[in-house]
């Protein structure tokens, strides 16, 4: 380091919802912060997000049945409770007055004919159960009471739940305002891409090299680079990276549609999570109606939407949401890459004996969780506060397994079949059972070949069964865990709530 080079208190790599939220909170609390990311937000999940404040709407049967799943729900609830004040703080720091960062019209979950009993009905019941258990306001609707939806034939809703306090964020306005709030609070927003991380030991300031040759120094470095975070970790700390769950890219497409003959949805309208994705949802926006979203695990982040995914999304929007979308135009196609750790849970906390922190792996609901995670991580960095909720999600960890192997295989099969039913396949009535048996055998053989006992979550399992790149990643991560007894002892065999 040259004697003149400034040393930041904290340098954040990644300018998505998480990096920006943390940068804002740290700068506001008086730290000297640099936040590095390309201004176009290449590959970013955040700019493709709905972004629903999905909390109870994200609940699934399986989420409620594991300790880690419950902890994730509690983070979602805690995040939901602070969004209002968070937006007020950002607006004040950005000096933007009455701009609308959130639509506060609630969410209506629909149980419709586009799904299956095994997935949609079970998850719908789990959502209702969680709302009652946590004492949150909601209203049950008969099918004919569900507003706005004009679905065709068998796709009409049978039931609904309106959740008045589950809102949505106006993504473009929010990200711009948060950037301004960060800068106004004294943060340095640096348009660039980090190529290399150096000197991460705790004895001296760490540094990063940017692709344009610049070098920056900081006492703490936070990896919040979304789906690319694990690649950067591997190049910086090749001995430690194998102990951290690899992060895959949950590539997803969504669209912004013009109204055509479709009226504005009175709230977010969505199905439960289904078929490995975050359900079909329509979100009212100032510029039109956002419809999302697809989800496919990929080895590398994607820049463009795949034709079959867009085709399926638009068709479902017309069949299950509103037939009037047949008169709409496509104003924008959004593509993003969710950071998906191979055990399905976030990576939050410091890498032991280094100055490197990780804040990523938030999969489907990182936008919603961002203010909560930013608050708690800022306290950990500045005050050394211990956050109990983060204990389970520390980056260096043995794989989290949220159920027994046979149950995870069964769930994988249910979701795989749900893809077929949602695409309105027509097969003889006895074929779904036969196909289910074949898929179960295929998935069982794939996991047995992978490891004696450890089983990945259903969406990762299904992708792994067809993809060698994912098998390699899982084998190498599970191998470290199997060899290292100290890691084994830190982890329960099965995590059942
Ligand atoms: C289609 C879709 C819909 C979604 N809907 C919702 C929703 O409704 N609600 C919700 O809560 N969540 C939703 N999500 C998930 C949510 O978007 C993510 O969990 C969250 O936004 C992740 O934020 P992030 O800041 O960690 O990552 P990202 O937004 O991916 O940001 C990472 C940033 O790091 C930058 N970067 C990468 N490499 C480098 C480098 N070497 N140097 C510097 N910068 C780098 C990237 O360019 C990017 O801008 C959705 C995601 C998708 C794809």
């Amino acid at each position: 380091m040259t004697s003149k080079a400034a040393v930041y208190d904290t340098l954040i790599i990644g300018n998505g919802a998480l990096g920006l939220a943390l940068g804002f909170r740290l700068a506001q609390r008086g730290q000297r912060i640099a936040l590095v990311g390309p201004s176009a937000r290449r590959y970013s999940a955040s700019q493709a997000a709905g972004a629903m404040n999905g909390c109870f709407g994200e609940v699934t049967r399986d989420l409620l049945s594991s300790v880690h799943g419950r902890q994730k729900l509690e983070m979602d609830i805690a995040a939901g409770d602070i969004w209002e004040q968070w937006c007020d703080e950002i607006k004040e720091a950005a000096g933007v007055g009455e701009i609308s960062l959130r639509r506060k019209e609630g969410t209506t979950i629909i149980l419709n004919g586009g799904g299956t009993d095994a997935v949609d009905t079970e998850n719908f019941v789990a959502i209702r159960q969680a709302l009652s258990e946590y004492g949150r306001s909601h209203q049950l609707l008969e099918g004919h009471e569900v507003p706005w939806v004009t679905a065709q034939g068998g796709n009409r809703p049978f039931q609904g739940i309106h959740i008045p306090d589950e809102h949505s964020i106006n993504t473009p306005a929010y990200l711009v305002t948060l950037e301004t709030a960060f800068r106004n609070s004294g943060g340095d927003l640096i348009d660039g891409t980090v190529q290399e991380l150096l000197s991460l030991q705790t004895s001296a300031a760490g540094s990063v090299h940017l692709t344009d040759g610049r070098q920056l120094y900081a006492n703490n470095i936070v990896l919040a680079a979304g789906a690319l975070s694990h690649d950067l970790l591997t190049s910086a700390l090749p001995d430690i990276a194998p102990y951290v769950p690899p992060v895959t890219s949950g590539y997803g497409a969504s669209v912004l549609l013009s109204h055509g003959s479709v009226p504005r949805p009175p709230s977010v309208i969505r199905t439960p999570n289904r078929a490995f994705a975050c359900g079909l949802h329509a979100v009212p926006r100032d510029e039109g109606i956002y419809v999302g979203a697809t989800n496919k695990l990929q080895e590398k982040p994607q820049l463009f939407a795949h034709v079959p995914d867009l085709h399926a999304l638009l068709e479902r929007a017309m069949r299950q949401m509103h037939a009037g979308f047949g008169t709409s135009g496509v104003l924008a196609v959004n593509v993003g890459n969710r950071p998906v750790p191979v055990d399905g849970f976030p990576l939050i906390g410091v890498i032991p004996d280094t100055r490197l922190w990780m804040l990523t792996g938030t999969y489907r609901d990182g936008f919603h969780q961002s203010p909560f995670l930013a608050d708690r991580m800022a306290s950990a960095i500045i005050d050394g506060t211990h956050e109990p909720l983060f204990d389970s999600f520390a980056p260096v960890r043995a794989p989290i397994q949220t159920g027994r192997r046979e149950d995870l295989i069964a769930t994988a099969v249910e979701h795989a079949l749900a893809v077929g039913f949602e695409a309105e396949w027509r097969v003889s009535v006895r074929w779904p059972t036969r196909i289910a048996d074949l898929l179960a055998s295929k998935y069982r053989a794939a996991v047995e070949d992978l490891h004696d006992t450890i089983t990945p979550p259903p969406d990762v399992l299904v992708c792994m069964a067809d993809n060698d790149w994912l098998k390699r990643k899982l084998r190498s991560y599970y191998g470290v865990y199997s060899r290292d007894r100290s890691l084994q002892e830190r982890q329960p065999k099965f995590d059942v709530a």
Side-chain angles (χ1 to χ4, degrees):
M1 180 174 56
T2 64
S3 56
K4 282 191 189 148
V7 178
Y8 288 98
D9 293 317
T10 303
L11 181 147
I12 299 165
I13 305 172
N15 54 350
L18 285 173
L20 275 171
L22 177 64
F24 170 62
R25 186 52 96 218
L26 288 172
Q28 212 194 22
R29 290 195 54 189
Q31 278 218 326
R32 205 163 165 230
I33 307 295
L35 193 149
V36 187
S39 57
R41 290 205 177 82
R42 200 172 156 84
Y43 301 127
S44 162
S46 304
Q47 58 189 12
M52 299 176 287
N53 285 122
C55 175
F56 290 96
E58 287 292 308
V59 165
T60 61
R61 175 195 66 193
D62 298 338
L63 189 89
L64 295 185
S65 68
S66 79
V67 173
H68 288 88
R70 288 270 178 179
Q71 287 176 328
K72 195 185 92 50
L73 174 59
E74 275 155 29
M75 293 206 293
D76 279 335
I77 294 172
D81 291 344
I82 61 173
W83 260 98
E84 190 64 21
Q85 196 198 328
W86 175 255
C87 285
D88 288 346
E89 282 184 59
I90 292 170
K91 284 197 278 190
E92 195 184 331
V96 291
E98 280 316 297
I99 187 173
S100 155
L101 300 185
R102 280 211 305 166
R103 275 190 178 275
K104 291 182 274 180
E105 297 158 332
T107 293
T108 299
I109 316 279
I110 55 170
L111 175 64
N112 73 359
T116 60
D117 271 344
V119 177
D120 281 48
T121 309
E122 296 260 345
N123 288 344
F124 188 84
V125 168
I127 291 168
R128 213 170 56 196
Q129 181 195 327
L131 281 161
S132 302
E133 213 177 291
Y134 288 90
R136 295 298 166 127
S137 172
H138 62 284
Q139 182 195 353
L140 296 179
L141 304 171
E142 295 298 333
H144 68 272
E145 293 173 317
V146 170
W148 184 78
V149 176
T150 314
Q152 300 194 339
N155 285 304
R156 66 195 184 282
F158 312 131
Q159 269 183 295
I161 307 174
H162 184 66
I163 311 174
D165 301 324
E166 205 151 298
H167 304 308
S168 65
I169 302 137
N170 184 356
T171 313
Y174 173 82
L175 290 174
V176 170
T177 310
L178 184 52
E179 276 186 358
T180 310
F182 170 67
R183 276 202 237 93
N184 288 357
S185 306
D188 280 351
L189 193 60
I190 296 168
D191 183 3
T193 300
V194 170
Q195 184 168 40
E196 200 180 8
L197 289 84
L198 300 165
S199 12
L200 297 167
Q201 309 79 355
T202 44
S203 52
S207 71
V208 301
H209 270 147
L210 272 54
T211 48
D212 60 12
R214 281 179 284 178
Q215 185 156 4
L216 303 168
Y217 301 89
N219 291 321
N220 291 293
I221 295 177
V222 181
L223 251 181
L228 288 160
S229 301
H230 202 279
D231 290 354
L232 279 169
L233 177 73
T234 304
S235 63
L237 297 169
D239 296 340
I240 297 178
Y243 290 84
V244 177
V247 177
T248 65
S249 173
Y251 139 78
S254 62
V255 287
L256 183 69
L257 301 180
S258 68
H259 281 275
S261 64
V262 183
R264 200 174 64 77
S267 66
V268 173
I269 310 267
R270 65 168 295 177
T271 70
N273 284 348
R274 70 155 71 124
F276 307 117
C278 42
L280 181 64
H281 47 274
V283 183
R285 286 267 178 90
D286 291 345
E287 324 82 60
I289 303 172
Y290 171 103
V291 176
T294 66
N295 180 39
K296 237 176 7 192
L297 299 191
Q298 304 277 314
E299 182 177 16
K300 302 279 175 209
Q302 307 290 300
L303 270 184
F304 301 107
H306 303 176
V307 170
D309 298 336
L310 271 187
H311 174 254
L313 181 65
L314 292 171
E315 203 193 20
R316 280 162 205 172
M318 289 186 289
R319 282 221 217 112
Q320 296 182 41
M321 285 289 176
H322 208 294
F325 278 135
T327 63
S328 297
V330 179
L331 301 177
V333 174
N334 311 301
V335 179
N337 296 275
R338 303 170 182 88
V340 186
V342 294
D343 61 4
F345 287 96
L347 304 169
I348 311 164
V350 72
I351 303 282
D353 304 322
T354 73
R355 53 182 67 255
L356 185 66
W357 300 71
M358 291 190 81
L359 178 61
T360 187
T362 49
Y363 204 171
R364 295 190 175 98
D365 41 13
F367 213 119
H368 171 65
Q369 288 181 349
S370 55
F372 170 81
L373 295 178
D375 267 350
R376 301 303 168 99
M377 188 165 253
S379 299
I381 290 174
I382 297 178
D383 312 319
T385 312
H386 174 75
E387 171 53 59
L389 270 179
F390 292 177
D391 286 344
S392 312
F393 305 123
V396 173
R397 66 172 183 238
I400 298 170
Q401 181 170 328
T402 57
R404 290 173 180 78
R405 177 166 280 184
E406 279 309 313
D407 296 337
L408 295 168
I409 292 172
T411 304
V413 172
E414 285 164 0
H415 279 262
L417 289 185
V419 175
F421 283 112
E422 192 173 20
E424 298 203 331
W425 65 357
R426 270 184 71 80
V427 289
S428 141
V429 284
R430 292 170 63 195
W431 272 90
T433 320
R434 289 179 187 162
I435 294 169
D437 289 345
L438 287 170
L439 287 175
S441 308
K442 173 178 165 156
Y443 298 156
R444 193 173 301 109
V447 283
E448 282 171 0
D449 184 47
L450 186 69
H451 194 273
D452 289 347
T453 52
I454 312 173
T455 311
D459 41 0
V460 176
L461 192 167
V462 169
C463 179
M464 177 276 292
D466 286 324
N467 288 287
D468 286 340
W469 62 266
L470 190 48
K471 276 184 198 141
R472 278 196 301 277
K473 276 185 197 285
L474 288 165
R475 272 209 185 96
S476 129
Y477 173 49
Y478 292 173
V480 167
Y481 166 69
S482 301
R483 285 190 297 274
D484 191 325
R485 289 199 61 78
S486 65
L487 270 178
Q488 280 179 38
E489 278 150 21
R490 279 166 48 176
Q491 204 62 30
K493 261 270 179 300
F494 299 116
D495 158 25
V496 181

